[in-house]
Amino acid sequence: MSTPILPTYDDVIAAAQRLEGHAHRTPVLRSRTADEELGAQVFFKCENLQRMGAFKFRGAFNALSKFDARQRQGGVVAFSSGNHAQAIALAARILGMPATIVMPHDAPAAKVAATKGYGGRVVIYDRYKDDREQIGRELAHKHGMTLIPPYDHPDVMAGQGTAAKELFEEVGPLDALFVPLGGGGLLSGTALSTHALSPQCKLYGVEPEAGNDGQQSFRSGQIVHIDTPQTIADGAQTQHLGQYTFGVIRRDVNDVLTATDAQLIEAMRFFASRMKLVVEPTGCLGFAAARAMKAQLAGLRVGVLISGGNVDLERLGTLLAG
């Protein structure tokens, strides 16, 4: 396979210009309790407060805004466990094009309902039996739609990188930055911004312990495929990194860490009780890893990217009460 042409920070800058007036410039919040626990200055970039509740809107809107007239008429098809689904549906509605989303049968009900509410047509599949990528390709071919994958696409990656761009512009250089990792769109985009704006910052991707394909890939030097992991972090139940995302991650990321479901629940409790934030399990990956590494972070300026807040309230209550 030929080496893909990877996006650059210039692509992130262009994405930021397209997103101006469409994406929220999400707040960076502080917590004295978090600072005391880690012995560091901690800066939380709150993408749970982004439009549709996650960073995914950035990449989706950037990608769709580059469609030509023929592509806009045919519409977009995507596959997603929830956040990319909502992001594509909302971006398509704003840009006036049809959207079809392939979603797993066990996707959170709130994410399915929101996707439909934004005008997306939902096609259900079994994530443990069916190949969502094949379903997406077949739908695109049959109906003349353009397939936009959830992470392995240069325009998606560049859009996701705008969150870190905003973070560095607001708080300045950091010593360490922790970012949730599923398929790698957010981490690779963040890497482009980090390398350009805070080159001395150590960048860590964090994925569920039950699904550490990214960690295996990073340490072996080649993309590792795994079965769909069993984890509460539904946004990171990916089976492998992408060719584009792995290329950037391998080059620009310092390490890939993991967090257990129990650590994610504890992080959810912290956000809910101490910061009054609703954060989905996947969005807690970065903070969970930072807490586990606190001995190494003492005295440093630490960034934590909260990727999303889309979780069913019943599910949230069950997890926090368990």
Side-chain angles (χ1 to χ4, degrees), residues 300-312:
L300 302 184
R301 290 166 51 83
V302 178
V304 172
L305 210 157
I306 299 174
S307 58
N310 294 320
V311 57
D312 291 335

Side-chain angles (χ1 to χ4, degrees), residues 88-153:
I88 288 288
L90 176 57
R93 188 181 75 177
I94 293 170
L95 294 167
M97 69 179 79
T100 298
I101 317 295
V102 180
M103 300 186 72
H105 69 288
D106 59 349
K111 294 184 178 182
V112 176
T115 301
K116 292 180 178 178
Y118 291 133
R121 182 174 76 92
V122 174
V123 175
I124 299 295
Y125 78 101
D126 186 333
R127 77 160 88 224
Y128 299 103
K129 297 179 181 178
D130 303 326
D131 184 342
R132 67 179 189 171
E133 297 181 28
Q134 181 181 350
I135 295 171
R137 287 192 297 267
E138 289 174 351
L139 285 168
H141 177 73
K142 182 177 180 181
H143 300 290
M145 297 182 286
T146 299
L147 176 64
I148 297 296
Y151 52 86
D152 200 32
H153 191 289

Side-chain angles (χ1 to χ4, degrees), residues 21-181:
H22 295 287
H24 296 325
R25 191 177 182 93
T26 52
V28 177
L29 299 184
R30 302 289 307 278
S31 163
R32 185 173 64 183
T33 307
D35 286 358
E36 290 174 353
E37 180 182 336
L38 271 62
Q41 295 181 64
V42 187
F43 302 87
F44 295 96
K45 178 62 170 172
C46 296
E47 285 295 289
N48 56 314
L49 302 178
Q50 184 54 261
R51 292 187 73 165
M52 50 68 49
F55 74 95
K56 291 281 191 178
F57 178 76
R58 297 174 182 271
F61 188 89
N62 185 53
L64 268 58
S65 67
K66 294 183 69 177
F67 277 19
D68 60 27
R70 180 191 61 79
Q71 289 176 304
R72 290 192 181 214
Q73 184 174 8
V76 60
V77 61
F79 46 82
S80 166
S81 64
N83 283 340
H84 182 61
Q86 295 171 80
I88 288 288
L90 176 57
R93 188 181 75 177
I94 293 170
L95 294 167
M97 69 179 79
T100 298
I101 317 295
V102 180
M103 300 186 72
H105 69 288
D106 59 349
K111 294 184 178 182
V112 176
T115 301
K116 292 180 178 178
Y118 291 133
R121 182 174 76 92
V122 174
V123 175
I124 299 295
Y125 78 101
D126 186 333
R127 77 160 88 224
Y128 299 103
K129 297 179 181 178
D130 303 326
D131 184 342
R132 67 179 189 171
E133 297 181 28
Q134 181 181 350
I135 295 171
R137 287 192 297 267
E138 289 174 351
L139 285 168
H141 177 73
K142 182 177 180 181
H143 300 290
M145 297 182 286
T146 299
L147 176 64
I148 297 296
Y151 52 86
D152 200 32
H153 191 289
D155 295 334
V156 171
M157 295 160 62
Q160 317 306 28
T162 61
K165 177 178 181 292
E166 292 174 5
L167 172 62
F168 289 119
E169 288 172 348
E170 182 164 341
V171 307
L174 297 171
D175 297 305
L177 177 57
F178 294 82
V179 181
L181 170 60

